[in-house]
Each structure stands twice: as C-alpha cells, then as structure tokens.
C-alpha cells in the first residue's frame, strides 16, 4: 500500500505560481511512477503530468507544457508539481497518483493509488 498526501494548493492571481507536493508513505516510492491529474467542477479528471519511477522522462499535457514542471525527490518520498504562469483555466482540484509500473502515462486507470486532492484556484 502507498498513501499519498498532496499539499501546496491555494488561491493565486493569474500569472502567479504555486508548487504542489505529494508526500508518499508505505512502500518504497521509487518503485512507482507518478502522475498529476486535475478535475474542474463539471469536468472529467484530466492528465496534467507524469514521470517514470526513475525520475526521468517527464511528460505533460499540451495545455500545461512550458508552464508546469514535474519532479521527484525519492530521498524525501515526494513528488512535486511546479506551476508557473497560472491561468484561470488551471483552476481545479489537483491529485497525485502512483502507478506500480515504470510509467503510468495519461490514463487514470493505470494508477493504483491516489491522494485526496488539493484545491488550486486562479483568479483573473
């Protein structure tokens, strides 16, 4: 079992930045690839970014590429999502997820464990 806890969400003005953290406990986190997803009210959960369990080869949704950065610190059992140049359309609950294979990809069904989510609100 892996337990995931997100933090770092909040209210920010458009153009601002936030850094989300996903702290893991339980099994060795570096044997799980991780991803970030988000869900806005009335919309389906969508892929934001993912990284392999080696901590390399990050992938991003087109809508966030160039603005968001996913990174990992397995010494701290933590994965981060640095979000810059935030836009109102980035407003959502952000979830981190862990997949027990080398790379979970963009499909939420590939992920075995989920955090409770953290709210990000970007005002215009």
């Amino acid at each position: 079992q892996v337990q995931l806890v997100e933090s770092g969400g909040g209210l920010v003005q458009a153009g601002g930045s936030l850094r989300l953290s996903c702290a893991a406990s339980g099994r060795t986190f570096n044997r799980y690839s991780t991803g970030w997803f988000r869900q806005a009210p009335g919309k389906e959960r969508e892929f934001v970014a993912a990284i392999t369990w080696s901590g390399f080869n990050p992938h991003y949704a087109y809508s966030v590429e160039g603005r968001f950065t996913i990174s990992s610190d397995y010494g701290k059992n933590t994965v981060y999502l640095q979000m810059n140049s935030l836009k109102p359309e980035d407003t959502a609950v952000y979830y981190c997820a862990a997949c027990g294979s080398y790379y979970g990809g963009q499909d939420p069904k590939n992920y075995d464990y989920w955090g409770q989510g953290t709210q990000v609100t970007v005002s215009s």
Side-chain angles (χ1 to χ4, degrees):
Q1 285 282 348
V2 174
Q3 292 80 42
L4 304 174
V5 178
E6 302 97 335
S7 61
L11 173 64
V12 64
Q13 287 188 331
S17 298
L18 285 173
R19 187 176 80 156
L20 305 183
S21 299
C22 175
S25 60
R27 291 187 175 178
T28 305
F29 199 33
N30 62 4
R31 300 306 291 176
Y32 290 83
S33 58
T34 52
W36 286 95
F37 294 79
R38 66 187 182 187
Q39 188 166 19
K43 295 188 177 181
E44 293 189 353
R45 190 167 299 190
E46 66 172 359
F47 170 77
V48 175
I51 197 166
T52 64
W53 74 24
S54 60
F56 298 110
N57 299 325
H59 290 79
Y60 300 94
Y62 178 79
S63 59
V64 307
E65 191 150 18
R67 300 188 297 122
F68 291 11
T69 303
I70 186 172
S71 61
S72 58
D73 184 343
Y74 291 126
K76 295 182 179 180
N77 267 4
T78 301
V79 174
Y80 303 98
L81 185 68
Q82 177 67 44
M83 305 187 296
N84 299 328
S85 302
L86 282 161
K87 304 176 181 180
E89 51 263 43
D90 294 318
T91 295
V93 177
Y94 283 71
Y95 299 89
C96 71
C99 169
S101 63
Y102 181 72
Y103 178 63
Q106 302 187 23
D107 189 345
K109 298 184 182 68
N110 295 336
Y111 291 81
D112 305 298
Y113 303 101
W114 291 82
Q116 83 289 350
T118 186
Q119 176 71 47
V120 171
T121 303
V122 184
S123 62
S124 57

